[in-house]
Amino acid sequence: MIQQIDNQEVLTARQAMQKYDKKYIGFFVVKQNMRNPDFEEGHVIFLADSYIEGLDESMDSDDNIGVLRGYDVNEPAEVGGLEVVWR
């Protein structure tokens, strides 16, 4: 079951995973940490009981952001089945 989270509590990604243990979460990043993504800060926007359910919810949501981490800018990266080539 999908549960929307309306509060705007700011957590690190690690804190969110601990707080919502055994759930799949939609996490909206508001402050990136490129060196250590576990310490990015953001809001949990939904909980899901299964990965597929969470994936379906995130695909239908307008709150998504995508972040590429750790890719060499001279190499193509694959994101969601698409190859991203830097120009």
Side-chain angles (χ1 to χ4, degrees):
M1 184 175 89
I2 295 288
Q3 176 187 347
Q4 299 294 327
I5 304 295
D6 295 327
N7 69 18
Q8 292 297 303
E9 178 182 28
V10 176
L11 302 168
T12 66
R14 180 176 283 184
Q15 289 170 328
M17 288 184 287
Q18 289 171 345
K19 182 173 181 175
Y20 299 108
D21 186 31
K22 302 200 178 10
K23 293 283 186 181
Y24 294 89
I25 63 173
F27 190 72
F28 185 81
V29 176
V30 295
K31 184 177 177 186
Q32 289 183 310
N33 184 332
M34 298 299 276
R35 293 187 184 273
N36 193 340
D38 283 351
F39 292 98
E40 290 182 328
E41 296 176 359
H43 308 287
V44 174
I45 56 175
F46 67 82
L47 305 179
D49 292 330
S50 71
Y51 175 78
I52 294 299
E53 185 178 56
L55 185 61
D56 287 345
E57 174 69 16
S58 65
M59 296 298 266
D60 292 338
S61 172
D62 291 333
D63 294 327
N64 283 323
I65 60 171
V67 178
L68 288 175
R69 295 187 187 90
Y71 290 102
D72 183 334
V73 296
N74 296 315
E75 296 295 323
E78 187 173 315
V79 181
L82 299 175
E83 189 174 79
V84 177
V85 178
W86 314 105
R87 301 214 186 267

